[in-house]
Amino acid sequence: MRHDFTPPSPQDEGPERQPTPEPELPRHHKTFHPHLTGTPCDENGHDLPNGTPPPPPPPPINAQNPWAPFADQVAFRMANLLFKQMEASKADIDEIMECWSLSLMGTDRTGPFSDHDHLFNSIDAIPFGSAPWKCFQTADDPTLPPTAPSWMKERYQIWYRDPDVVIANMLSNPDFAGEFDTRPYVHLGADGKRRWSEFMSGNYSWNHATKIYQDDPTTKGAMYVPIIVGSDKTTVSVMTGNVEYHPLYAMIGNIHGGARRAHRNGVIPIGFLAIPKADRQYDGDVAYRNFKRQLYHESIASILRPLKPAMEVPVVRRCPDGHFRRVIYDLAAYIADYPEQVLLAGVVSGWCPKCTALSSDLDGLNARPRSQEYTEKLSDEFGGEGTRLWDNWGIDESVEPFTTEFPRADIHEMMASDLLHQLIKGTFKDHLVDWVGEYLELTEGSTRAKEIMDDIDLFRIAASPQFPGLRRFPQGRRYKQWTGDDSKALMKVFLPAIAEYVEDDVVKCIAAFIDFCYLARKSDITEDTLVDMQAALTCFHTYRQVFIRAGVRENFNLPRQHAMKHYFDNIVAFGPPNGLCSSITESRHITAVKKPWRRSNRYNALSQMLLINQRLDKLHALYADLVFRNLLPPSHAPRPEPFDGGDEDEGPVDDNRVLAEVVHAVTRKPLAMYSRDLYELAVDVDQPTLPELTRRFLYEQLHAGDVIPDNIDDCPHIDSNVYVHHSAIAYFYAPSDISGIHGMKREHIRSTPSWYGYPRRDCALVVEDADKPGFHGMSVVRILLFFSFTQSGVEYPCALVHWFNRYGARPDPKTGMWMVKPDNRGRDSREPYLSVVHLDSLFRGVQLLPVFGPDPLPKDFHYSDTLDAFDAFYVNKYVDYHAYEMIF
């Protein structure tokens, strides 16, 4: 399959067309849209001369008190702490305020609030940052007979807030300054090839901006604002009656993906859709199905309708940089899982919402892209002819998508790829993992298959050594509440666990699929990335035939697997998929739906949830305003991880960007269990060669490039105190992982005799030749001791390490991972090859997974023994996205 990476260009632009950039310049280059340029203007929409600074921000609502409506900084910070961060109950707030008042008894001072009502009223008095919630409901149908089912007679309430106000608040939020694009652009790398890193770098923004200008040249200079919508049902409680909500979210594509994933009020709930309920007798009722679909589309159209005027005539809005601009809205992308995509696109379940591939041959070659225009033509031609549209084109003619009443909007074009449900939960967990179990049943028999699966689940997967941010499966993976986090964690360790139990094609199939996932997950995608994705997809399609040969599958007509074909066009159109993944809306459920529901008293919970959301928005807006006025420091909370669980070993960092750096972790007090003398320390840690190795290390540091003498007496003595550290912290640039605002991530590399009761000696990558690509220039070491000493006023942070040798000249052909073996020498090859290295030579931590061999693990095996128990290991490039990009 060939993909067109040609940059879009406006049609019929005449002499104003921007000149072609010089290709010979060896640097990145962005070509910006020549017409919708996001030119700053004044409040009346008149363009400003180039270089005009933004107008001063609006004055605070109280010139004498910038913290108003709060009495002072203490009151605001206390409200923010109690309501937003601690989510304190009314009773707890009252108790805290009463204790505060008691502590001030006998003085003329009082606490910041008298009780919870005082605190809530103060938040409600914040005059900006939120849009009030409103409600509309369906009208009664007087023609219904008395015997009509209850779902027909019910009046459904749909709660919403004005999306125009919500988007205006987003646009004016100074928190997004520096992470905001005002113009569509085409990004060319230094190699002259296209790159996609943000939504505005895609063809959708460019092409729609061009159409807007061609339809109305008076829009020249306006700012294109692509509106992204997402919706997803969520259950807040199964135990109390399966309580469900269906929130609708709004985002804008101008905000960078990292900020959007961080939910810094860049993903806002704008509606709660009705969820009709009926008796089981109506589960297959066509009228009931059509009613639900029509209610769904009409509700979304009604909520979004206030945006329609600004989709045709620009309106003036303040932007994060403080400038006013004329903005024009455009419905751009929709985030949804497959069942909701079917509902949105008006297609039959089992069919693709993006193309006309037959449900019985989804990977056929004759499919064409779906479009609203094409659907309308088919409906005009064949509508009303029974099930002809349903059977031949997968069209449900009872559905009129909400997009039909908005300019330039086509629901099929808007449908975004969904990493979480299509790949992570769908193809990997629901398909491939289950298929491996079925494959073993068919090839090994039921009894033997259960033994193998127990070994894989309970022992091999559980034997994975600890690693920062890696969710563990200490009891295997057989539990009911399976999340995206669990699926992603399993993906990281699954291949070595099954490698010796299934034929090579099964391993190659899953490895190719995981490669596709990791490539699609990158935050900066290039033309070369798309070529690699196509190669991975081709391999996946080739090797998955093993499941047909084994009798696991008869075909692969699976919409979620078929969707992988559309990733290429969607990336070219929308930029990286991780900026439009349903994990964004799913994790937003936590703060917008689930936590507010838990804070409610469960009676008429939705109204309480809406009020909580409104108050959170107000607090966030005031905080951002105070940061903008330099009254508070910026506070960017870590963005929620769509797939991985939390771990104190790792996390995002808001430091300035560096490629990589490793430093000893600062301890609150010296580790008293270790001697400060180098020779006594060697006895303490049972490493008798430590003094000699450290002296040779120091000679190498003092005489760079010289041959280290064989005679240890020619190496300098170390008489200063030696300090032991139980961990070091690696900082590195990892924008595809959960990182800080500059793309920085930190992780702990640990070497400690006791970590939750067991020894832990992590592994790390050492850079030996920076000129060689990827793992070709690196080696793996295991950290036996972190320590530091000072010589002649110079501090030397270092590590005692056990080296591993690369096994083979290239990665393992089955798993695609490099293999290493411990470097053991001496008699019987049992003496580990050790040395002392400077921390500067360490790049980052790395996880090794065992080459298990054909035998099952002992039932009492513990993961803390893994690195000592096996003779060969895989270098786990899948442990995180930074490792995948580095270890090749």
Side-chain angles (χ1 to χ4, degrees):
M1 181 184 297
R2 298 184 62 186
H3 303 284
D4 183 11
F5 307 139
T6 305
S9 59
Q11 302 296 317
D12 302 322
E13 291 173 358
E16 295 180 310
R17 184 168 181 174
Q18 185 160 317
T20 303
E22 298 180 11
E24 68 272 16
L25 294 178
R27 58 185 177 86
H28 287 248
H29 182 82
K30 290 183 179 179
T31 299
F32 293 97
H33 198 276
H35 298 308
L36 266 62
T37 55
T39 302
C41 65
D42 61 22
E43 290 183 78
N44 298 314
H46 301 122
D47 288 353
L48 298 175
N50 288 336
T52 303
I61 56 176
N62 186 326
Q64 285 72 41
N65 177 22
W67 305 92
F70 298 92
D72 51 28
Q73 178 178 180
V74 172
F76 169 73
R77 294 180 67 172
M78 182 56 63
N80 196 60
L81 174 68
L82 292 176
F83 189 83
K84 183 177 180 181
Q85 299 179 38
M86 294 178 58
E87 301 175 357
S89 67
K90 296 177 182 179
D92 286 345
I93 294 173
D94 290 343
E95 179 71 16
I96 291 170
M97 292 303 108
E98 184 175 350
C99 291
W100 196 319
S101 297
L102 288 172
S103 72
L104 298 174
M105 188 174 291
T107 72
D108 59 354
R109 295 181 296 159
T110 61
F113 305 102
S114 57
D115 55 20
H116 71 270
D117 283 328
H118 185 192
L119 186 149
F120 293 165
N121 290 337
S122 298
I123 297 175
D124 293 338
I126 298 173
F128 51 83
S130 184
W133 287 93
K134 308 174 186 178
C135 179
F136 62 81
Q137 62 182 4
T138 56
D140 292 327
D141 184 354
T143 65
L144 288 175
T147 57
S150 60
W151 57 263
M152 283 188 179
K153 296 184 286 187
E154 178 141 0
R155 302 183 70 182
Y156 297 95
Q157 290 187 337
I158 294 89
W159 286 89
Y160 73 102
R161 45 185 171 178
D162 190 334
D164 188 28
V165 176
V166 169
I167 292 171
N169 289 336
M170 281 191 217
L171 289 170
S172 63
N173 189 344
D175 194 32
F176 297 128
E179 300 177 272
F180 190 91
D181 292 317
T182 59
R183 295 175 285 177
Y185 63 91
V186 171
H187 184 185
L188 299 182
D191 56 3
K193 297 180 180 179
R194 281 197 71 178
R195 307 178 76 95
W196 296 267
S197 55
E198 304 298 343
F199 190 92
M200 295 288 272
S201 67
N203 285 6
Y204 189 100
S205 296
W206 185 286
N207 291 337
H208 277 235
T210 299
K211 180 170 177 52
I212 289 169
Y213 172 75
Q214 290 174 343
D215 291 344
D216 182 3
T218 65
T219 58
K220 186 174 180 64
M223 185 176 80
Y224 177 74
V225 178
I227 296 168
I228 302 165
V229 186
S231 57
D232 181 34
K233 279 185 186 178
T234 184
T235 302
V236 294
S237 175
V238 177
M239 307 216 21
T240 58
N242 197 30
V243 180
E244 287 185 309
Y245 293 98
H246 199 163
L248 182 73
Y249 297 99
M251 298 149 264
I252 55 176
N254 310 80
I255 299 172
H256 289 180
R260 194 159 58 244
R261 293 193 298 274
H263 297 162
R264 299 209 313 265
N265 266 31
V267 181
I268 302 293
I270 60 170
F272 280 81
L273 305 176
I275 304 178
K277 303 287 186 180
D279 297 335
R280 288 197 181 103
Q281 62 178 309
Y282 295 104
D283 285 352
D285 187 86
V286 174
Y288 178 54
R289 183 198 70 206
N290 292 344
F291 169 79
K292 290 192 296 182
R293 295 186 174 192
Q294 291 165 3
L295 176 63
Y296 174 83
H297 281 276
E298 290 174 6
S299 298
I300 296 176
S302 297
I303 292 171
L304 297 178
R305 201 165 285 135
L307 298 173
K308 190 172 180 180
M311 293 179 179
E312 298 173 312
V313 179
V315 293
V316 177
R317 295 285 183 264
R318 187 185 286 271
C319 296
D321 61 359
H323 275 296
F324 289 97
R325 290 179 175 86
R326 296 183 304 127
V327 307
I328 189 158
Y329 297 150
D330 190 40
L331 290 181
Y334 206 109
I335 300 173
D337 60 14
Y338 178 71
E340 193 136 356
Q341 288 182 352
V342 167
L343 180 58
L344 284 161
V347 299
V348 179
S349 183
W351 290 71
C352 175
K354 295 286 287 186
C355 74
T356 60
L358 295 173
S359 61
S360 58
D361 187 20
L362 281 176
D363 291 330
L365 301 178
N366 297 321
R368 57 171 291 173
R370 286 189 188 271
S371 69
Q372 190 61 42
E373 180 183 8
Y374 182 61
T375 298
E376 289 172 358
K377 288 182 178 178
L378 290 173
S379 298
D380 291 343
E381 183 73 20
F382 304 109
E385 296 184 13
T387 62
R388 189 167 181 179
L389 288 173
W390 182 287
D391 295 335
N392 292 286
W393 290 278
I395 295 173
D396 183 350
E397 59 183 310
S398 69
V399 174
E400 181 177 352
F402 75 91
T403 50
T404 56
E405 70 169 81
F406 295 94
R408 302 176 300 276
D410 186 323
I411 190 59
H412 305 289
E413 184 185 20
M414 291 172 58
M415 209 71 74
S417 297
D418 181 10
L419 287 165
L420 179 59
H421 291 98
Q422 290 169 348
L423 302 186
I424 307 304
K425 284 185 175 180
T427 301
F428 178 69
K429 188 265 177 182
D430 293 342
H431 297 164
L432 296 176
V433 173
D434 287 349
W435 292 356
V436 167
E438 295 176 37
Y439 170 90
L440 290 170
E441 287 264 355
L442 291 168
T443 57
E444 301 287 343
S446 178
T447 301
R448 175 59 179 157
K450 290 177 181 177
E451 293 174 355
I452 293 173
M453 289 306 299
D454 282 345
D455 186 48
I456 290 172
D457 281 350
L458 299 177
F459 304 108
R460 295 194 174 203
I461 291 173
S464 302
Q466 287 189 320
F467 190 82
L470 181 65
R471 182 180 292 248
R472 295 193 48 75
F473 298 89
Q475 304 300 323
R477 58 178 183 88
R478 296 186 68 180
Y479 48 90
K480 295 181 179 179
Q481 294 299 322
W482 189 276
T483 67
D485 293 346
D486 301 320
S487 299
K488 188 64 186 73
L490 180 63
M491 184 183 290
K492 297 177 179 183
V493 299
F494 191 61
L495 287 178
I498 67 169
E500 277 79 30
Y501 281 134
V502 296
E503 62 180 282
D504 288 359
D505 281 5
V506 174
V507 180
K508 291 177 180 179
C509 168
I510 298 175
F513 170 77
I514 299 175
D515 283 337
F516 182 93
C517 292
Y518 276 63
L519 291 165
R521 177 63 173 77
K522 293 178 68 173
S523 290
D524 187 12
I525 293 179
T526 68
E527 290 185 31
D528 290 338
T529 308
L530 295 184
V531 172
D532 291 341
M533 286 176 63
Q534 183 61 66
L537 182 59
T538 300
C539 286
F540 172 63
H541 284 167
T542 298
Y543 290 118
R544 71 177 177 177
Q545 296 298 319
V546 66
F547 293 109
I548 288 182
R549 295 196 300 271
V552 175
R553 295 289 306 173
E554 295 181 357
N555 59 64
F556 298 110
N557 293 318
L558 302 165
R560 287 179 288 184
Q561 287 194 27
H562 164 76
M564 295 167 71
K565 283 188 163 186
H566 295 299
Y567 272 65
F568 306 93
D569 291 336
N570 278 355
I571 288 170
V572 173
F574 301 137
N578 68 353
L580 295 174
C581 178
S582 64
S583 61
I584 294 175
T585 54
E586 284 216 353
S587 53
R588 189 65 169 99
H589 289 338
I590 297 172
T591 55
V593 182
K594 296 186 177 182
K595 285 186 176 181
W597 184 83
R598 294 180 195 130
R599 293 171 71 172
S600 74
N601 62 14
R602 311 298 193 268
Y603 176 73
N604 196 16
L606 182 57
S607 62
Q608 299 171 61
M609 293 159 58
L610 301 179
L611 183 57
I612 290 170
N613 273 286
Q614 186 165 299
R615 287 170 174 163
L616 289 171
D617 290 345
K618 286 176 172 283
L619 282 171
H620 186 99
L622 181 54
Y623 196 107
D625 183 71
L626 293 167
V627 169
F628 182 70
R629 299 179 191 279
N630 296 316
L631 294 172
L632 286 175
S635 176
H636 293 153
R639 67 180 187 256
E641 165 61 69
F643 308 121
D644 292 330
D647 194 307
E648 68 274 20
D649 275 356
E650 56 89 40
V653 181
D654 285 347
D655 288 349
N656 290 327
R657 182 184 303 179
V658 295
L659 180 61
E661 180 185 20
V662 179
V663 298
H664 279 142
V666 177
T667 55
R668 292 184 174 87
K669 58 183 180 179
L671 297 172
M673 77 270 304
Y674 299 105
S675 172
R676 303 289 176 77
D677 178 80
L678 180 61
Y679 292 88
E680 294 179 3
L681 175 63
V683 176
D684 290 347
V685 298
D686 194 24
Q687 294 292 347
T689 61
L690 178 63
E692 177 182 341
L693 294 175
T694 306
R695 292 173 65 186
R696 293 187 183 281
F697 160 78
L698 182 57
Y699 182 94
E700 184 180 29
Q701 292 292 307
L702 297 174
H703 305 87
D706 291 357
V707 177
I708 301 175
D710 293 332
N711 188 348
I712 189 60
D713 292 334
D714 294 331
C715 296
H717 286 276
I718 299 171
D719 299 320
S720 65
N721 286 340
V722 178
Y723 297 92
V724 173
H725 307 262
H726 279 168
S727 67
I729 304 175
Y731 299 91
F732 46 88
Y733 179 60
S736 296
D737 284 294
I738 301 308
S739 53
I741 58 177
H742 299 295
M744 293 301 298
K745 182 182 178 181
R746 64 157 176 83
E747 68 179 19
H748 278 267
I749 306 170
R750 299 195 181 274
S751 180
T752 174
S754 180
W755 182 252
Y756 291 95
Y758 297 94
R760 176 173 171 180
R761 310 289 181 187
D762 289 348
C763 294
L765 292 173
V766 172
V767 178
E768 295 192 281
D769 188 343
D771 293 329
K772 291 183 178 179
F775 195 66
H776 295 274
M778 300 180 190
S779 289
V780 174
V781 296
R782 189 179 183 191
I783 311 297
L784 303 182
L785 184 72
F786 283 122
F787 65 103
S788 61
F789 63 92
T790 301
Q791 188 84 355
S792 301
V794 178
E795 183 181 7
Y796 293 92
C798 44
L800 175 68
V801 301
H802 179 193
W803 291 80
F804 286 72
N805 289 329
R806 188 181 297 112
Y807 184 64
R810 58 185 58 85
D812 171 50
K814 280 198 307 183
T815 62
M817 292 188 277
W818 286 93
M819 297 174 67
V820 294
K821 289 187 173 183
D823 188 350
N824 295 326
R825 303 182 181 183
R827 183 173 299 176
D828 298 329
S829 298
R830 294 191 178 277
E831 182 179 333
Y833 178 65
L834 310 180
S835 72
V836 173
V837 299
H838 198 286
L839 248 59
D840 285 348
S841 66
L842 300 184
F843 180 56
R844 54 155 294 165
V846 69
Q847 190 191 40
L848 301 185
L849 295 174
V851 178
F852 288 101
D855 299 324
L857 289 181
K859 296 187 183 301
D860 60 350
F861 187 85
H862 194 270
Y863 66 85
S864 63
D865 298 320
T866 295
L867 293 174
D868 298 306
F870 294 90
D871 297 326
F873 299 87
Y874 296 105
V875 182
N876 189 5
K877 67 178 182 179
Y878 299 119
V879 73
D880 56 45
Y881 295 100
H882 180 261
Y884 184 80
E885 294 173 4
M886 295 294 108
I887 306 174
F888 58 86

